[in-house]
mmCIF file of all heavy atoms in Angstrom:
data_model
loop_
_atom_site.group_PDB
_atom_site.id
_atom_site.type_symbol
_atom_site.label_atom_id
_atom_site.label_comp_id
_atom_site.label_asym_id
_atom_site.label_seq_id
_atom_site.Cartn_x
_atom_site.Cartn_y
_atom_site.Cartn_z
ATOM 1 N N ASN A 1 0.855 -1.182 0.000
ATOM 2 C CA ASN A 1 0.000 0.000 0.000
ATOM 3 C C ASN A 1 0.892 1.233 0.000
ATOM 4 O O ASN A 1 2.014 1.214 0.524
ATOM 5 C CB ASN A 1 -0.907 0.023 1.243
ATOM 6 C CG ASN A 1 -1.827 -1.179 1.302
ATOM 7 O OD1 ASN A 1 -2.768 -1.294 0.538
ATOM 8 N ND2 ASN A 1 -1.543 -2.096 2.226
ATOM 9 N N SER A 2 0.405 2.294 -0.556
ATOM 10 C CA SER A 2 1.196 3.514 -0.657
ATOM 11 C C SER A 2 1.652 3.980 0.722
ATOM 12 O O SER A 2 0.869 4.054 1.668
ATOM 13 C CB SER A 2 0.359 4.609 -1.326
ATOM 14 O OG SER A 2 1.084 5.807 -1.393
ATOM 15 N N GLY A 3 2.958 4.262 0.840
ATOM 16 C CA GLY A 3 3.515 4.753 2.094
ATOM 17 C C GLY A 3 3.910 3.663 3.066
ATOM 18 O O GLY A 3 4.463 3.939 4.134
ATOM 19 N N GLU A 4 3.663 2.399 2.729
ATOM 20 C CA GLU A 4 3.938 1.282 3.640
ATOM 21 C C GLU A 4 5.387 0.829 3.456
ATOM 22 O O GLU A 4 5.674 -0.260 2.975
ATOM 23 C CB GLU A 4 2.969 0.138 3.324
ATOM 24 C CG GLU A 4 2.894 -0.942 4.383
ATOM 25 C CD GLU A 4 1.860 -1.995 4.011
ATOM 26 O OE1 GLU A 4 2.162 -2.875 3.168
ATOM 27 O OE2 GLU A 4 0.737 -1.922 4.536
ATOM 28 N N CYS A 5 6.311 1.688 3.857
ATOM 29 C CA CYS A 5 7.718 1.435 3.548
ATOM 30 C C CYS A 5 8.555 1.014 4.746
ATOM 31 O O CYS A 5 9.746 0.693 4.585
ATOM 32 C CB CYS A 5 8.335 2.663 2.888
ATOM 33 S SG CYS A 5 8.081 4.190 3.824
ATOM 34 N N HIS A 6 7.974 0.988 5.962
ATOM 35 C CA HIS A 6 8.748 0.601 7.145
ATOM 36 C C HIS A 6 8.038 -0.436 8.022
ATOM 37 O O HIS A 6 8.701 -1.222 8.693
ATOM 38 C CB HIS A 6 9.082 1.829 7.993
ATOM 39 C CG HIS A 6 9.986 2.795 7.324
ATOM 40 N ND1 HIS A 6 11.337 2.567 7.177
ATOM 41 C CD2 HIS A 6 9.730 3.985 6.725
ATOM 42 C CE1 HIS A 6 11.877 3.584 6.531
ATOM 43 N NE2 HIS A 6 10.922 4.466 6.236
ATOM 44 N N VAL A 7 6.713 -0.411 8.045
ATOM 45 C CA VAL A 7 5.923 -1.367 8.845
ATOM 46 C C VAL A 7 4.901 -2.004 7.917
ATOM 47 O O VAL A 7 4.047 -1.310 7.349
ATOM 48 C CB VAL A 7 5.206 -0.674 10.019
ATOM 49 C CG1 VAL A 7 4.421 -1.705 10.831
ATOM 50 C CG2 VAL A 7 6.193 0.064 10.913
ATOM 51 N N GLN A 8 5.000 -3.324 7.772
ATOM 52 C CA GLN A 8 4.103 -4.020 6.848
ATOM 53 C C GLN A 8 3.413 -5.192 7.553
ATOM 54 O O GLN A 8 4.081 -6.133 7.972
ATOM 55 C CB GLN A 8 4.889 -4.537 5.643
ATOM 56 C CG GLN A 8 4.004 -5.151 4.564
ATOM 57 C CD GLN A 8 4.803 -5.593 3.353
ATOM 58 O OE1 GLN A 8 5.430 -6.646 3.389
ATOM 59 N NE2 GLN A 8 4.790 -4.769 2.299
ATOM 60 N N PRO A 9 2.087 -5.139 7.713
ATOM 61 C CA PRO A 9 1.369 -6.276 8.299
ATOM 62 C C PRO A 9 1.218 -7.409 7.279
ATOM 63 O O PRO A 9 0.949 -7.154 6.098
ATOM 64 C CB PRO A 9 0.005 -5.684 8.663
ATOM 65 C CG PRO A 9 -0.185 -4.555 7.705
ATOM 66 C CD PRO A 9 1.191 -4.011 7.402
ATOM 67 N N VAL A 10 1.402 -8.644 7.738
ATOM 68 C CA VAL A 10 1.257 -9.816 6.863
ATOM 69 C C VAL A 10 0.418 -10.867 7.599
ATOM 70 O O VAL A 10 0.339 -10.870 8.831
ATOM 71 C CB VAL A 10 2.620 -10.417 6.479
ATOM 72 C CG1 VAL A 10 3.394 -9.453 5.594
ATOM 73 C CG2 VAL A 10 3.436 -10.794 7.704
ATOM 74 N N ASP A 11 -0.179 -11.777 6.840
ATOM 75 C CA ASP A 11 -1.082 -12.767 7.427
ATOM 76 C C ASP A 11 -0.365 -13.758 8.339
ATOM 77 O O ASP A 11 -0.930 -14.237 9.322
ATOM 78 C CB ASP A 11 -1.815 -13.544 6.324
ATOM 79 C CG ASP A 11 -2.786 -12.670 5.552
ATOM 80 O OD1 ASP A 11 -3.113 -11.579 6.065
ATOM 81 O OD2 ASP A 11 -3.200 -13.066 4.453
ATOM 82 N N SER A 12 0.865 -14.097 8.014
ATOM 83 C CA SER A 12 1.596 -15.079 8.820
ATOM 84 C C SER A 12 3.091 -14.937 8.565
ATOM 85 O O SER A 12 3.511 -14.357 7.555
ATOM 86 C CB SER A 12 1.146 -16.506 8.495
ATOM 87 O OG SER A 12 1.436 -16.827 7.144
ATOM 88 N N LEU A 13 3.876 -15.490 9.504
ATOM 89 C CA LEU A 13 5.326 -15.532 9.354
ATOM 90 C C LEU A 13 5.813 -16.919 9.731
ATOM 91 O O LEU A 13 5.157 -17.645 10.491
ATOM 92 C CB LEU A 13 5.998 -14.489 10.263
ATOM 93 C CG LEU A 13 5.800 -13.020 9.881
ATOM 94 C CD1 LEU A 13 6.399 -12.110 10.942
ATOM 95 C CD2 LEU A 13 6.398 -12.711 8.507
ATOM 96 N N GLN A 14 6.953 -17.296 9.215
ATOM 97 C CA GLN A 14 7.509 -18.620 9.487
ATOM 98 C C GLN A 14 7.701 -18.830 10.991
ATOM 99 O O GLN A 14 8.128 -17.933 11.711
ATOM 100 C CB GLN A 14 8.855 -18.792 8.764
ATOM 101 C CG GLN A 14 9.425 -20.202 8.862
ATOM 102 C CD GLN A 14 10.666 -20.367 8.003
ATOM 103 O OE1 GLN A 14 10.977 -19.516 7.183
ATOM 104 N NE2 GLN A 14 11.374 -21.470 8.198
ATOM 105 N N ASP A 15 7.347 -20.032 11.452
ATOM 106 C CA ASP A 15 7.436 -20.428 12.867
ATOM 107 C C ASP A 15 6.494 -19.638 13.765
ATOM 108 O O ASP A 15 6.590 -19.702 14.986
ATOM 109 C CB ASP A 15 8.868 -20.288 13.400
ATOM 110 C CG ASP A 15 9.847 -21.211 12.682
ATOM 111 O OD1 ASP A 15 9.423 -22.323 12.327
ATOM 112 O OD2 ASP A 15 11.011 -20.817 12.479
ATOM 113 N N GLY A 16 5.573 -18.884 13.176
ATOM 114 C CA GLY A 16 4.577 -18.171 13.968
ATOM 115 C C GLY A 16 5.111 -17.004 14.762
ATOM 116 O O GLY A 16 4.461 -16.553 15.720
ATOM 117 N N VAL A 17 6.287 -16.480 14.392
ATOM 118 C CA VAL A 17 6.854 -15.369 15.153
ATOM 119 C C VAL A 17 6.002 -14.115 14.953
ATOM 120 O O VAL A 17 5.264 -13.987 13.974
ATOM 121 C CB VAL A 17 8.312 -15.082 14.748
ATOM 122 C CG1 VAL A 17 9.205 -16.267 15.091
ATOM 123 C CG2 VAL A 17 8.414 -14.730 13.266
ATOM 124 N N LEU A 18 6.123 -13.181 15.905
ATOM 125 C CA LEU A 18 5.330 -11.952 15.831
ATOM 126 C C LEU A 18 5.897 -10.988 14.794
ATOM 127 O O LEU A 18 5.151 -10.268 14.138
ATOM 128 C CB LEU A 18 5.293 -11.289 17.215
ATOM 129 C CG LEU A 18 4.607 -9.922 17.298
ATOM 130 C CD1 LEU A 18 3.150 -10.005 16.859
ATOM 131 C CD2 LEU A 18 4.718 -9.354 18.711
ATOM 132 N N TRP A 19 7.215 -10.943 14.657
ATOM 133 C CA TRP A 19 7.816 -9.996 13.728
ATOM 134 C C TRP A 19 9.112 -10.561 13.132
ATOM 135 O O TRP A 19 9.674 -11.527 13.656
ATOM 136 C CB TRP A 19 8.108 -8.670 14.428
ATOM 137 C CG TRP A 19 9.391 -8.655 15.213
ATOM 138 C CD1 TRP A 19 10.608 -8.229 14.782
ATOM 139 C CD2 TRP A 19 9.603 -9.100 16.559
ATOM 140 N NE1 TRP A 19 11.564 -8.375 15.757
ATOM 141 C CE2 TRP A 19 10.963 -8.906 16.874
ATOM 142 C CE3 TRP A 19 8.781 -9.644 17.530
ATOM 143 C CZ2 TRP A 19 11.508 -9.239 18.104
ATOM 144 C CZ3 TRP A 19 9.312 -9.968 18.770
ATOM 145 C CH2 TRP A 19 10.661 -9.769 19.050
ATOM 146 N N GLU A 20 9.539 -9.931 12.036
ATOM 147 C CA GLU A 20 10.836 -10.244 11.453
ATOM 148 C C GLU A 20 11.345 -9.004 10.725
ATOM 149 O O GLU A 20 10.545 -8.210 10.201
ATOM 150 C CB GLU A 20 10.758 -11.421 10.479
ATOM 151 C CG GLU A 20 9.994 -11.136 9.203
ATOM 152 C CD GLU A 20 9.999 -12.319 8.227
ATOM 153 O OE1 GLU A 20 10.359 -13.425 8.646
ATOM 154 O OE2 GLU A 20 9.620 -12.093 7.057
ATOM 155 N N PRO A 21 12.686 -8.807 10.676
ATOM 156 C CA PRO A 21 13.231 -7.665 9.923
ATOM 157 C C PRO A 21 13.106 -7.899 8.428
ATOM 158 O O PRO A 21 13.053 -9.040 7.959
ATOM 159 C CB PRO A 21 14.697 -7.620 10.378
ATOM 160 C CG PRO A 21 15.002 -9.021 10.823
ATOM 161 C CD PRO A 21 13.722 -9.581 11.367
ATOM 162 N N ALA A 22 13.034 -6.819 7.695
ATOM 163 C CA ALA A 22 12.922 -6.908 6.237
ATOM 164 C C ALA A 22 13.416 -5.598 5.638
ATOM 165 O O ALA A 22 13.748 -4.650 6.354
ATOM 166 C CB ALA A 22 11.473 -7.177 5.839
ATOM 167 N N PHE A 23 13.473 -5.571 4.312
ATOM 168 C CA PHE A 23 13.715 -4.325 3.587
ATOM 169 C C PHE A 23 12.543 -4.138 2.626
ATOM 170 O O PHE A 23 12.219 -5.036 1.839
ATOM 171 C CB PHE A 23 15.036 -4.378 2.811
ATOM 172 C CG PHE A 23 16.245 -4.205 3.685
ATOM 173 C CD1 PHE A 23 16.862 -5.314 4.253
ATOM 174 C CD2 PHE A 23 16.755 -2.931 3.935
ATOM 175 C CE1 PHE A 23 17.991 -5.159 5.049
ATOM 176 C CE2 PHE A 23 17.887 -2.782 4.737
ATOM 177 C CZ PHE A 23 18.496 -3.889 5.314
ATOM 178 N N ILE A 24 11.889 -2.972 2.712
ATOM 179 C CA ILE A 24 10.760 -2.668 1.827
ATOM 180 C C ILE A 24 11.201 -1.537 0.900
ATOM 181 O O ILE A 24 11.468 -0.409 1.357
ATOM 182 C CB ILE A 24 9.502 -2.245 2.623
ATOM 183 C CG1 ILE A 24 9.077 -3.345 3.602
ATOM 184 C CG2 ILE A 24 8.368 -1.904 1.662
ATOM 185 C CD1 ILE A 24 7.894 -2.963 4.480
ATOM 186 N N ASP A 25 11.325 -1.874 -0.367
ATOM 187 C CA ASP A 25 11.817 -0.899 -1.357
ATOM 188 C C ASP A 25 13.124 -0.257 -0.893
ATOM 189 O O ASP A 25 13.343 0.953 -1.038
ATOM 190 C CB ASP A 25 10.765 0.191 -1.622
ATOM 191 C CG ASP A 25 9.560 -0.348 -2.385
ATOM 192 O OD1 ASP A 25 9.687 -1.435 -3.003
ATOM 193 O OD2 ASP A 25 8.493 0.287 -2.353
ATOM 194 N N GLY A 26 13.996 -1.090 -0.296
ATOM 195 C CA GLY A 26 15.304 -0.628 0.149
ATOM 196 C C GLY A 26 15.325 -0.004 1.527
ATOM 197 O O GLY A 26 16.392 0.321 2.044
ATOM 198 N N ASN A 27 14.169 0.177 2.163
ATOM 199 C CA ASN A 27 14.097 0.780 3.493
ATOM 200 C C ASN A 27 14.136 -0.292 4.586
ATOM 201 O O ASN A 27 13.510 -1.349 4.459
ATOM 202 C CB ASN A 27 12.787 1.565 3.648
ATOM 203 C CG ASN A 27 12.677 2.713 2.670
ATOM 204 O OD1 ASN A 27 13.416 3.690 2.763
ATOM 205 N ND2 ASN A 27 11.755 2.583 1.715
ATOM 206 N N GLN A 28 14.881 -0.010 5.663
ATOM 207 C CA GLN A 28 14.845 -0.910 6.815
ATOM 208 C C GLN A 28 13.416 -0.986 7.338
ATOM 209 O O GLN A 28 12.761 0.045 7.538
ATOM 210 C CB GLN A 28 15.777 -0.402 7.923
ATOM 211 C CG GLN A 28 17.241 -0.659 7.647
ATOM 212 C CD GLN A 28 18.132 -0.234 8.809
ATOM 213 O OE1 GLN A 28 19.339 -0.253 8.675
ATOM 214 N NE2 GLN A 28 17.559 0.139 9.932
ATOM 215 N N ALA A 29 12.940 -2.222 7.551
ATOM 216 C CA ALA A 29 11.510 -2.374 7.866
ATOM 217 C C ALA A 29 11.277 -3.565 8.784
ATOM 218 O O ALA A 29 12.176 -4.365 9.064
ATOM 219 C CB ALA A 29 10.714 -2.550 6.569
ATOM 220 N N VAL A 30 10.027 -3.647 9.234
ATOM 221 C CA VAL A 30 9.570 -4.780 10.035
ATOM 222 C C VAL A 30 8.281 -5.314 9.412
ATOM 223 O O VAL A 30 7.425 -4.553 8.972
ATOM 224 C CB VAL A 30 9.326 -4.381 11.512
ATOM 225 C CG1 VAL A 30 8.288 -3.270 11.633
ATOM 226 C CG2 VAL A 30 8.868 -5.588 12.323
ATOM 227 N N ARG A 31 8.192 -6.635 9.344
ATOM 228 C CA ARG A 31 6.944 -7.296 8.933
ATOM 229 C C ARG A 31 6.299 -7.875 10.192
ATOM 230 O O ARG A 31 6.939 -8.617 10.947
ATOM 231 C CB ARG A 31 7.217 -8.382 7.896
ATOM 232 C CG ARG A 31 7.946 -7.866 6.675
ATOM 233 C CD ARG A 31 8.303 -9.002 5.730
ATOM 234 N NE ARG A 31 7.199 -9.390 4.888
ATOM 235 C CZ ARG A 31 6.859 -10.639 4.576
ATOM 236 N NH1 ARG A 31 7.539 -11.653 5.115
ATOM 237 N NH2 ARG A 31 5.865 -10.898 3.762
ATOM 238 N N ILE A 32 5.040 -7.524 10.434
ATOM 239 C CA ILE A 32 4.336 -7.920 11.661
ATOM 240 C C ILE A 32 3.264 -8.947 11.322
ATOM 241 O O ILE A 32 2.462 -8.756 10.397
ATOM 242 C CB ILE A 32 3.701 -6.696 12.356
ATOM 243 C CG1 ILE A 32 4.777 -5.666 12.697
ATOM 244 C CG2 ILE A 32 2.974 -7.123 13.637
ATOM 245 C CD1 ILE A 32 4.237 -4.395 13.325
ATOM 246 N N ASN A 33 3.241 -10.026 12.096
ATOM 247 C CA ASN A 33 2.334 -11.150 11.874
ATOM 248 C C ASN A 33 0.961 -10.861 12.491
ATOM 249 O O ASN A 33 0.785 -10.924 13.711
ATOM 250 C CB ASN A 33 2.951 -12.413 12.492
ATOM 251 C CG ASN A 33 2.072 -13.636 12.339
ATOM 252 O OD1 ASN A 33 1.050 -13.608 11.662
ATOM 253 N ND2 ASN A 33 2.476 -14.728 12.977
ATOM 254 N N THR A 34 -0.031 -10.557 11.647
ATOM 255 C CA THR A 34 -1.383 -10.266 12.154
ATOM 256 C C THR A 34 -2.107 -11.527 12.637
ATOM 257 O O THR A 34 -3.158 -11.432 13.259
ATOM 258 C CB THR A 34 -2.239 -9.591 11.067
ATOM 259 O OG1 THR A 34 -2.398 -10.490 9.951
ATOM 260 C CG2 THR A 34 -1.610 -8.291 10.598
ATOM 261 N N GLY A 35 -1.544 -12.698 12.357
ATOM 262 C CA GLY A 35 -2.140 -13.940 12.839
ATOM 263 C C GLY A 35 -1.692 -14.316 14.245
ATOM 264 O O GLY A 35 -2.221 -15.258 14.843
ATOM 265 N N HIS A 36 -0.747 -13.571 14.799
ATOM 266 C CA HIS A 36 -0.275 -13.844 16.161
ATOM 267 C C HIS A 36 -1.292 -13.294 17.167
ATOM 268 O O HIS A 36 -1.833 -12.197 16.978
ATOM 269 C CB HIS A 36 1.089 -13.163 16.371
ATOM 270 C CG HIS A 36 1.813 -13.609 17.602
ATOM 271 N ND1 HIS A 36 1.440 -13.188 18.861
ATOM 272 C CD2 HIS A 36 2.873 -14.445 17.770
ATOM 273 C CE1 HIS A 36 2.247 -13.739 19.761
ATOM 274 N NE2 HIS A 36 3.126 -14.507 19.119
ATOM 275 N N PRO A 37 -1.577 -14.031 18.249
ATOM 276 C CA PRO A 37 -2.567 -13.565 19.233
ATOM 277 C C PRO A 37 -2.256 -12.188 19.810
ATOM 278 O O PRO A 37 -3.167 -11.445 20.174
ATOM 279 C CB PRO A 37 -2.520 -14.641 20.321
ATOM 280 C CG PRO A 37 -2.042 -15.868 19.629
ATOM 281 C CD PRO A 37 -1.095 -15.398 18.575
ATOM 282 N N TYR A 38 -0.975 -11.838 19.895
ATOM 283 C CA TYR A 38 -0.608 -10.516 20.419
ATOM 284 C C TYR A 38 -1.199 -9.410 19.541
ATOM 285 O O TYR A 38 -1.676 -8.393 20.049
ATOM 286 C CB TYR A 38 0.910 -10.389 20.480
ATOM 287 C CG TYR A 38 1.408 -9.108 21.116
ATOM 288 C CD1 TYR A 38 1.590 -9.027 22.487
ATOM 289 C CD2 TYR A 38 1.693 -7.981 20.335
ATOM 290 C CE1 TYR A 38 2.048 -7.848 23.081
ATOM 291 C CE2 TYR A 38 2.145 -6.810 20.912
ATOM 292 C CZ TYR A 38 2.314 -6.746 22.287
ATOM 293 O OH TYR A 38 2.761 -5.577 22.863
ATOM 294 N N TYR A 39 -1.165 -9.620 18.257
ATOM 295 C CA TYR A 39 -1.719 -8.616 17.346
ATOM 296 C C TYR A 39 -3.220 -8.478 17.572
ATOM 297 O O TYR A 39 -3.766 -7.369 17.646
ATOM 298 C CB TYR A 39 -1.434 -8.992 15.893
ATOM 299 C CG TYR A 39 -1.639 -7.840 14.929
ATOM 300 C CD1 TYR A 39 -0.581 -7.010 14.581
ATOM 301 C CD2 TYR A 39 -2.889 -7.577 14.388
ATOM 302 C CE1 TYR A 39 -0.765 -5.931 13.704
ATOM 303 C CE2 TYR A 39 -3.088 -6.516 13.523
ATOM 304 C CZ TYR A 39 -2.026 -5.687 13.186
ATOM 305 O OH TYR A 39 -2.212 -4.622 12.346
ATOM 306 N N HIS A 40 -3.902 -9.622 17.699
ATOM 307 C CA HIS A 40 -5.356 -9.622 17.866
ATOM 308 C C HIS A 40 -5.764 -9.020 19.204
ATOM 309 O O HIS A 40 -6.744 -8.277 19.285
ATOM 310 C CB HIS A 40 -5.864 -11.065 17.756
ATOM 311 C CG HIS A 40 -7.342 -11.204 17.930
ATOM 312 N ND1 HIS A 40 -8.256 -10.581 17.104
ATOM 313 C CD2 HIS A 40 -8.079 -11.895 18.843
ATOM 314 C CE1 HIS A 40 -9.477 -10.883 17.492
ATOM 315 N NE2 HIS A 40 -9.396 -11.668 18.540
ATOM 316 N N LYS A 41 -4.996 -9.321 20.266
ATOM 317 C CA LYS A 41 -5.390 -8.904 21.612
ATOM 318 C C LYS A 41 -4.867 -7.521 22.002
ATOM 319 O O LYS A 41 -5.403 -6.893 22.912
ATOM 320 C CB LYS A 41 -4.870 -9.927 22.641
ATOM 321 C CG LYS A 41 -5.506 -11.319 22.564
ATOM 322 C CD LYS A 41 -6.928 -11.297 23.116
ATOM 323 C CE LYS A 41 -7.473 -12.697 23.323
ATOM 324 N NZ LYS A 41 -6.920 -13.376 24.479
ATOM 325 N N VAL A 42 -3.803 -7.036 21.350
ATOM 326 C CA VAL A 42 -3.197 -5.768 21.744
ATOM 327 C C VAL A 42 -3.365 -4.697 20.659
ATOM 328 O O VAL A 42 -3.808 -3.579 20.938
ATOM 329 C CB VAL A 42 -1.706 -5.953 22.095
ATOM 330 C CG1 VAL A 42 -1.070 -4.614 22.456
ATOM 331 C CG2 VAL A 42 -1.563 -6.931 23.267
ATOM 332 N N TYR A 43 -3.008 -5.031 19.432
ATOM 333 C CA TYR A 43 -3.130 -4.043 18.361
ATOM 334 C C TYR A 43 -4.592 -3.700 18.051
ATOM 335 O O TYR A 43 -4.967 -2.518 17.993
ATOM 336 C CB TYR A 43 -2.453 -4.555 17.086
ATOM 337 C CG TYR A 43 -0.997 -4.172 16.937
ATOM 338 C CD1 TYR A 43 0.015 -5.039 17.316
ATOM 339 C CD2 TYR A 43 -0.636 -2.940 16.411
ATOM 340 C CE1 TYR A 43 1.360 -4.698 17.180
ATOM 341 C CE2 TYR A 43 0.702 -2.576 16.255
ATOM 342 C CZ TYR A 43 1.691 -3.466 16.643
ATOM 343 O OH TYR A 43 3.013 -3.115 16.508
ATOM 344 N N ILE A 44 -5.399 -4.730 17.814
ATOM 345 C CA ILE A 44 -6.774 -4.486 17.353
ATOM 346 C C ILE A 44 -7.598 -3.664 18.344
ATOM 347 O O ILE A 44 -8.274 -2.705 17.946
ATOM 348 C CB ILE A 44 -7.472 -5.824 17.028
ATOM 349 C CG1 ILE A 44 -6.783 -6.499 15.826
ATOM 350 C CG2 ILE A 44 -8.957 -5.607 16.722
ATOM 351 C CD1 ILE A 44 -6.794 -5.670 14.556
ATOM 352 N N PRO A 45 -7.579 -3.958 19.654
ATOM 353 C CA PRO A 45 -8.375 -3.130 20.578
ATOM 354 C C PRO A 45 -7.920 -1.670 20.632
ATOM 355 O O PRO A 45 -8.684 -0.798 21.036
ATOM 356 C CB PRO A 45 -8.158 -3.813 21.939
ATOM 357 C CG PRO A 45 -7.728 -5.191 21.627
ATOM 358 C CD PRO A 45 -6.946 -5.087 20.361
ATOM 359 N N ASN A 46 -6.665 -1.408 20.225
ATOM 360 C CA ASN A 46 -6.130 -0.044 20.299
ATOM 361 C C ASN A 46 -5.979 0.602 18.927
ATOM 362 O O ASN A 46 -5.260 1.599 18.794
ATOM 363 C CB ASN A 46 -4.775 -0.065 21.010
ATOM 364 C CG ASN A 46 -4.896 -0.441 22.472
ATOM 365 O OD1 ASN A 46 -5.442 0.316 23.272
ATOM 366 N ND2 ASN A 46 -4.415 -1.628 22.827
ATOM 367 N N GLN A 47 -6.651 0.049 17.933
ATOM 368 C CA GLN A 47 -6.449 0.528 16.565
ATOM 369 C C GLN A 47 -6.841 1.987 16.381
ATOM 370 O O GLN A 47 -6.318 2.662 15.489
ATOM 371 C CB GLN A 47 -7.245 -0.343 15.586
ATOM 372 C CG GLN A 47 -8.753 -0.340 15.831
ATOM 373 C CD GLN A 47 -9.482 -1.233 14.852
ATOM 374 O OE1 GLN A 47 -9.647 -0.880 13.704
ATOM 375 N NE2 GLN A 47 -9.901 -2.396 15.305
ATOM 376 N N LYS A 48 -7.741 2.502 17.223
ATOM 377 C CA LYS A 48 -8.175 3.896 17.071
ATOM 378 C C LYS A 48 -7.253 4.869 17.795
ATOM 379 O O LYS A 48 -7.434 6.072 17.696
ATOM 380 C CB LYS A 48 -9.609 4.044 17.573
ATOM 381 C CG LYS A 48 -10.618 3.262 16.739
ATOM 382 C CD LYS A 48 -12.030 3.397 17.293
ATOM 383 C CE LYS A 48 -13.014 2.561 16.475
ATOM 384 N NZ LYS A 48 -14.392 2.630 17.036
#
């Protein structure tokens, strides 16, 4: 998505980890696993 160059949510990650480092269009970034319970229980209730 436009502007998504440092934090990218994804459906799953290998071994079920919550996050992993990545490079998005050459930028240092993090991919966050939205399938992890932490995302569902912490991120979603505070999305606003």
